Amino acid sequence: MKTPSNLIYGVKEKPPNLVCLISGLQQIAIIAPILVLPILTIRAGGGTLDAATAIVSLSLVALGVGTILQSLAQRWIGSGYLISFCFTNAYYPVSVLAVKLGGLPLLFGMTLFSGAVETLFAPLLRRLRPFFPAEISGICVLLIGLVVGLLGIRQILGIDEIADQSGASSGPEIALGIGTLAVMVGLNVWSKGSLRMYCAIVGILVGLIAGAGMGDFNGTAFSTTALSAGVVALPKWSARLPHFRLDLVIPFAITALACALRAMGDITNAQRINDSDWVRPEMISIRNGLFADGLSTMVSALLGSVGGNTYSASVGLSSATGVTSRQISLWTGGILIALSIFPVAAAAVVSIPRPVIGAALLFNSAFILISGIQIITSRLLDSRKTFTIGLALVLSVSRDVFPGFYRAVPDILQALVSSGFVMGVSAALLLNAIFRIGVRQRVTMKLDAGPVNRDTIERFFTEQGGRWGARRDIISRAIFGVVQVLEVVGDIPEGTEIEASFDEFNLDVRIRYKGTPLIIPGRKPTPREIIASEEGERLLAGYLLRQSADRVSCKTSDSASDVRLHYDH
Amino acid sequence: MNKTALRMEDSHAGSVCVLSIGGRIDSGNAAELLDRLNGLLSSGEKTILLDFKEVLYLTSAAFRVLLVATDEAERNAVRVVLCGLAGQVRDLFEMGGLLEAFTVHGSREDALAKL
């Protein structure tokens, strides 16, 4: 990993405490508009105002825990990047349905289920990698950029789709949004150092002051939280048993998959921002990030709130400010948890004027969109990928251009066409799966009896690797693997057959010969064992094969042995 | 000349005998390497630096030769040190858990500065 020169503090660096504090506050400022989602969900589902306000504080705890979990770089959990956890529009329709059908116990149960689906999907990701290639992550990031940008425009123009209301901002409110955006963009483009780092929060502060001067203050949100809960109050948690409904399993599972894809896109974006040598998504970080994302949704459910997801605007903000240190996540999470005992502070955050929040979202969307385009174009785009990307994007846009048509789609398919994002990503996944037909190429060579002809093996793999566009390091590992196998099996009178098959994600090599099977030990032989006899050398050979290939197996039938070496590509 | 064929060339840097190795080392030529190392041991060298910078890959046969030669060297109070391990060659040492079995330095310059 090579830290790009445009970053002021990279992911592994530890900025001064003041930078962490202000960057954490910037992250919270852009989360602010989404903090109303749990309230809106419960109220839209027929829940009381008291029930809605009660979950605000615990929701802050859920966001704090989720943000910290995502920043961990542990063996099984956390992508290791600065990506805030936030409530998501993706959960809104299904959560409202759950509250309407079974109240908070059903919302709790189904959100818990959804989080579990995402955590279970995480370990399968490596095996399923061909079905989730980088260009689909790029499509996710691009569509997320569009969603965030459109959300920003809705906030500036006063069109609130979530609350199922329509309306328009006044001229001064629109001017407030444009002015705030101009401050952020201006500071980002023409300033350096601290001003560039804090361009988002400076823009928000300028917008807040200007908004207060204009009398634009979200008093409703403020009164529903602070005035009813007080200035300082410990979060109240109510124990309840989870309820489940079979007919909600598919909608919640699809939502979980959509969140997993969005998380994949966000983590891929974070990887690309933090590594100037970035070539392809790093799957372990994505797997652990998905696990953290699913677990965070489960924590949110346990605390009585709604499902959440990685927040794309958070990645956009870190890219814009040049501060991507994972330390910021700890501060962001810590501040969010601390805010949970100050309902008045949470209310103040929720009360930032909508046009100001809209400007911040629009500002971030530009960075997210460009990241998506860069991820897509970083791949060699053949005709398969061209159709996958092009058709998926057009279908996604068609959802918002022709909403009437999609509303008439049968109920069973409604979850798939519930938003342009879900529709575009689902279409990309389906097309990618279809286009995998016929993608695998296979070649075979026969080696005659006699000493191992290494030159022939090297030429065969190097030439084929060149034709396939395979990575040189993977071809080198395969050459080593084949030579090592043939050295151990020795001279075979009937000769040896080598078959290599390749697609963009896998290189598989089969070596068939008449003879005793290869021993592939589970433990590494000691230097003493290796020195002591040629048997020790054979054990080392098997052990090296096990370590150098991503999978290795040896089967025998009718005195014929079949060694299979698999390399992830 | 075939660039993957085993190449060996020795030289001296002070009291250190440096053996530069190139190409691939496998069961077909591991015996050549063993002969060369035995020759250096029997010629009275006290410190032998093996530079793997030009090595493409090595198989289990090569590892065995290196372990046998190092074992023999220890018995004769001769130091055998490795340097220039990079890319796939270093990966193979790591995979086999063999980095701990040898004294390894980064580059030839690093090794000579410490010997």
Side-chain angles (χ1 to χ4, degrees), chain A residues 277-461:
Chain A
D277 291 338
W278 186 87
V279 179
R280 63 185 64 80
E282 201 277 293
M283 298 309 284
I284 292 175
S285 156
I286 292 177
R287 178 197 70 190
N288 295 354
L290 257 60
F291 187 79
D293 200 53
L295 196 63
S296 301
T297 284
M298 293 173 79
V299 169
S300 187
L302 284 166
L303 291 171
S305 193
V306 295
N309 201 188
T310 53
Y311 193 40
S312 313
S314 159
V315 187
L317 178 67
S318 66
S319 169
T321 57
V323 182
T324 62
S325 164
R326 63 170 74 111
Q327 292 286 323
I328 308 299
S329 291
L330 302 180
W331 280 77
T332 307
I335 296 169
L336 282 166
I337 293 168
L339 279 178
S340 69
I341 60 167
F342 298 107
V344 67
V349 171
V350 175
S351 307
I352 296 173
R354 281 173 28 147
V356 175
I357 291 301
L361 292 173
L362 205 50
F363 171 77
N364 288 323
S365 73
F367 290 92
I368 302 169
L369 272 165
I370 293 303
S371 280
I373 292 169
Q374 285 174 334
I375 292 170
I376 291 171
T377 53
S378 69
R379 310 296 290 176
L380 190 65
L381 298 177
D382 60 9
S383 56
R384 284 179 162 88
K385 291 188 176 72
T386 301
F387 285 121
T388 301
I389 296 163
L391 294 177
L393 287 179
V394 172
L395 272 169
S396 169
V397 173
S398 78
R399 169 63 183 76
D400 291 329
V401 177
F402 311 115
F405 172 80
Y406 291 104
R407 271 197 291 270
V409 164
D411 287 350
I412 195 165
L413 296 174
Q414 275 299 328
L416 283 174
V417 297
S418 57
S419 73
F421 173 76
V422 172
M423 206 173 142
V425 174
S426 304
L429 288 172
L430 181 66
L431 289 168
N432 176 67
I434 292 170
F435 286 138
R436 287 197 53 75
I437 296 171
V439 79
R440 182 160 278 254
Q441 301 171 75
R442 201 178 301 272
V443 287
T444 306
M445 75 180 290
K446 179 105 170 113
L447 289 176
D448 295 330
V452 180
N453 191 335
R454 294 159 184 86
D455 290 333
T456 306
I457 295 165
E458 280 172 13
R459 199 164 48 246
F460 172 75
F461 276 97

Side-chain angles (χ1 to χ4, degrees), chain A residues 8 43 67 79 95 140 189 201 248 250 448 450 466 469 493 544:
Chain A
I8 300 168
R43 297 207 67 188
T67 300
S79 66
S95 299
C140 278
V189 174
I201 205 159
L248 290 186
I250 290 177
D448 295 330
L544 285 173

Side-chain angles (χ1 to χ4, degrees), chain A residues 104-357:
Chain A
L104 292 179
L106 187 59
L107 174 68
F108 171 34
M110 296 315 299
T111 307
L112 203 60
F113 163 76
S114 206
V117 168
E118 196 178 347
T119 56
L120 291 173
F121 176 70
L124 300 175
L125 196 61
R126 197 175 175 85
R127 287 287 176 107
L128 297 174
R129 200 170 64 108
F131 298 97
F132 300 92
E135 60 271 17
I136 291 191
S137 292
I139 291 172
C140 278
V141 175
L142 179 62
L143 292 177
I144 289 163
L146 276 174
V147 169
V148 172
L150 290 173
L151 181 63
I153 288 175
R154 277 209 300 270
Q155 299 275 330
I156 292 174
L157 299 181
I159 303 164
D160 194 342
E161 191 182 72
I162 295 168
D164 203 19
Q165 293 168 348
S166 59
S169 298
S170 63
E173 281 177 319
I174 294 172
L176 176 64
I178 294 172
T180 305
L181 180 65
V183 171
M184 291 177 182
V185 172
L187 288 177
N188 190 267
V189 174
W190 289 293
S191 73
K192 285 180 182 171
S194 298
L195 273 177
R196 186 187 151 219
M197 259 197 295
Y198 307 134
C199 57
I201 205 159
V202 170
I204 288 172
L205 286 173
V206 169
L208 262 175
I209 293 164
M214 291 162 51
D216 190 341
F217 184 73
N218 193 349
T220 310
F222 191 84
S223 60
T224 54
T225 51
L227 300 183
S228 61
V231 177
V232 179
L234 279 175
K236 286 177 191 162
W237 181 71
S238 311
R240 60 175 71 90
L241 284 173
H243 287 191
F244 302 93
R245 270 179 75 122
L246 206 56
D247 56 346
L248 290 186
V249 163
I250 290 177
F252 270 88
I254 288 175
T255 305
L257 188 60
C259 288
L261 288 168
R262 180 172 177 165
M264 279 176 69
D266 287 336
I267 298 166
T268 303
N269 194 13
Q271 290 174 357
R272 198 195 57 71
I273 289 166
N274 282 286
D275 184 6
S276 54
D277 291 338
W278 186 87
V279 179
R280 63 185 64 80
E282 201 277 293
M283 298 309 284
I284 292 175
S285 156
I286 292 177
R287 178 197 70 190
N288 295 354
L290 257 60
F291 187 79
D293 200 53
L295 196 63
S296 301
T297 284
M298 293 173 79
V299 169
S300 187
L302 284 166
L303 291 171
S305 193
V306 295
N309 201 188
T310 53
Y311 193 40
S312 313
S314 159
V315 187
L317 178 67
S318 66
S319 169
T321 57
V323 182
T324 62
S325 164
R326 63 170 74 111
Q327 292 286 323
I328 308 299
S329 291
L330 302 180
W331 280 77
T332 307
I335 296 169
L336 282 166
I337 293 168
L339 279 178
S340 69
I341 60 167
F342 298 107
V344 67
V349 171
V350 175
S351 307
I352 296 173
R354 281 173 28 147
V356 175
I357 291 301

Side-chain angles (χ1 to χ4, degrees), chain A residues 454-455 458 476-477 480 483-484 487 524 527-528 530-534 537 540-541 543-544 547-548, chain B residues 2 4 24 26-28 57-61 63-64 67-68 71 88 92 95-98 100-101:
Chain A
R454 294 159 184 86
D455 290 333
E458 280 172 13
S476 296
R477 282 164 62 195
F480 165 79
V483 169
Q484 184 66 84
E487 272 191 17
K524 68 180 175 197
R528 265 300 129 217
I530 299 167
I531 292 169
S533 70
E534 289 190 354
E537 183 191 318
L540 175 63
Y543 188 74
L544 285 173
Q547 296 296 311
S548 69
Chain B
N2 185 345
T4 62
R24 63 185 176 222
D26 51 39
S27 63
Y57 67 84
L58 66 173
T59 64
S60 56
F63 282 115
R64 183 158 188 262
L67 286 168
V68 168
D71 192 49
Q88 192 184 9
L92 288 166
M95 285 170 194
L98 293 164
E100 299 80 23

Side-chain angles (χ1 to χ4, degrees), chain A residues 545-566:
Chain A
L545 283 167
R546 178 186 279 274
Q547 296 296 311
S548 69
D550 291 298
R551 285 199 298 276
V552 58
S553 67
C554 181
K555 290 177 184 168
T556 310
S557 64
D558 299 332
S559 75
S561 294
D562 183 358
V563 179
R564 296 181 186 213
L565 306 170
H566 170 84

